[in-house]
Amino acid sequence: MSLAQVIDRARRGEGPLVMGIVNVTPDSFSDGGHFLDPKKALEQARRLSAEGADILDVGGESTRPGSEPVTLEAELERVIPVIQAIVAELPTPVSVDTSKPEVMARAVKAGASMINDVNALRADGAMEAVAEAGVPVCLMHMQGEPGSMQKNPEYQDVVRDIKSFFLERILACEFAGIRRENLVLDPGFGFGKTLEHNLELLRRLGEFADLDRPLLVGLSRKSMLGRLTGQEDPEKRLAASLAAAVLAAERSAAIIRVHDVAPTVDAMAVTRAVARPDPGATIADDE
Ligand code: 7PM
């Protein structure tokens, strides 16, 4: 299935769709992280695809808060071969998790069908790269910069502030020639938000429905879930992640970005079966 079809399914309320996270990390057996392990990433992609992922999100860690900045060359070297290998072998559409316009362009040429940008195309040239590529793009909200964003996040009203941010980005994207139909929005859980901000965002997620764009949410294994459960090891946050995924799905999330695809696919099957056929009705009930 093409990504356009996947997004269409999400928009028809047949979702939520499950996006599986494929990390392209430096090979831990080699020095300095120069030698990569594209095989490991491909194996992970194969597994997540078999587990029922609707999209595979390939990232070279450059957008991770707290991780070392990655040079353009290093990021290309990490993600492009993995995208090529996945596209050649697997039927699952690929998105690329990057903020760099050159990586966006090269990834799409290598077969990626979506861009996932935690910086919402605010880098110089990023909007032009996406307009030129003509693919869907996820605009994620982040307050501040990855290095310092958790210092003192402040909002007047976390939902209203993020909605205004989205409205501004939507207009900027359209002005740059990106079709509105190609935009997916993500409130950016954990990116410049306190625990209370994150909880309020999830509680009020239904209020984003009037922007009329599919919502993507990433809550999987995040530290807010660690704080709520006392689970310090991210790998022990599966149950919390599933609860969060169900809550987001009930509040009209269209795409759920996760590490643990198989359990999330099952949780979404139950959520979907119980949900009313008209997604609008679910939204109205949230008020
Ligand atoms: C350390 C801190 C490692 C945070 C990894 C992360 C999102 C994303 C990420 C999200 C979208 C993670 C994050 N989070 N892209 N990329 N939405 N669209 O938990 O929430 O994967 S990186």
Side-chain angles (χ1 to χ4, degrees), residues 31-33 46 50-51 62 69 80 92 131 133 147 157 172 181 194 199 204 228 241 250 267 269 274:
D31 63 334
R46 281 189 189 120
E51 289 179 8
S62 72
I80 301 301
T92 315
D157 176 316
E181 296 72 51
T194 64
L199 290 174
R204 297 174 57 195
L228 293 170
S241 300
E250 277 211 302
V274 175

Side-chain angles (χ1 to χ4, degrees), residues 62 180 242 249:
S62 72
R180 185 177 279 248
L242 292 173

